[in-house]
Structures are given as structure tokens and as C-alpha cells.
Amino acid sequence: MQFLSIFTWEPGKMAEIMEARAREEIPEGVTLINEWVDLVGNTVFRLIETDDPVALMKVSSPWSDLGYKEVHPVMESKEALTILRG
């Protein structure tokens, strides 16, 4: 299953966040599909894939002391429409 992780931090912490990201190791069982940094704000968007709830918790937890995180299960709209139409 794919998840969109949105991480936001307070202004002035960009260097600290980027240093933490450089040290981060993605846990086994998680595929990092892509990530994007908001160029004018304090937010990182990350698309990951995992079927392991423990791995999902491991990839999200280390960031909780640096800012605010949201994790949302997602799928492509086309696939969701197919499912909804039966």
C-alpha cells in the first residue's frame, strides 16, 4: 500500500531537517518512491510503499521530535474509480 507522508517544521530548522534526512536509513520493508521539498515553505512530501505496519511506524517515528507529521494512505485516482465502479 502507498502512503503520502507530509512533514512540516518550524521556520529556521531547514539545516537541521536536511542533516537528519541525510543520516536517515529507510527501514527494511519500506520503499521510498519519491520525495519533494516545498521550495517556499517548511514541508517535505514523501511517497512510500509498504505492507508492513511496523515498518510504517519505523519510517515515521524518528521525525516526531523535529516537527509535525501526517501520514495518509493513497492510491491513484484511476484505480480508486475502478474500485468504486465495481
Side-chain angles (χ1 to χ4, degrees):
M1 181 166 222
Q2 292 183 344
F3 296 88
L4 179 63
S5 174
I6 304 168
F7 180 74
T8 306
W9 60 89
E10 298 295 326
K13 289 191 172 186
M14 176 70 99
E16 183 180 1
I17 298 300
M18 292 298 116
E19 296 262 342
R21 175 59 185 102
R23 291 188 310 269
E24 180 185 26
E25 293 184 25
I26 303 299
E28 187 174 325
V30 174
T31 300
L32 174 60
I33 298 170
N34 210 338
E35 66 184 333
W36 304 267
V37 175
D38 179 350
L39 298 178
V40 295
N42 304 311
T43 305
V44 170
F45 302 90
R46 178 184 277 185
L47 183 61
I48 61 171
E49 188 165 12
T50 185
D51 291 322
D52 181 354
V54 173
L56 178 63
M57 290 170 52
K58 285 181 180 178
V59 78
S60 300
S61 296
W63 297 94
S64 57
D65 64 329
L66 297 174
Y68 314 97
K69 66 179 177 193
E70 300 174 47
V71 179
H72 304 274
V74 296
M75 70 172 47
E76 291 185 28
S77 298
K78 186 176 182 179
E79 183 180 356
L81 285 171
T82 301
I83 291 169
L84 290 173
R85 290 180 179 153

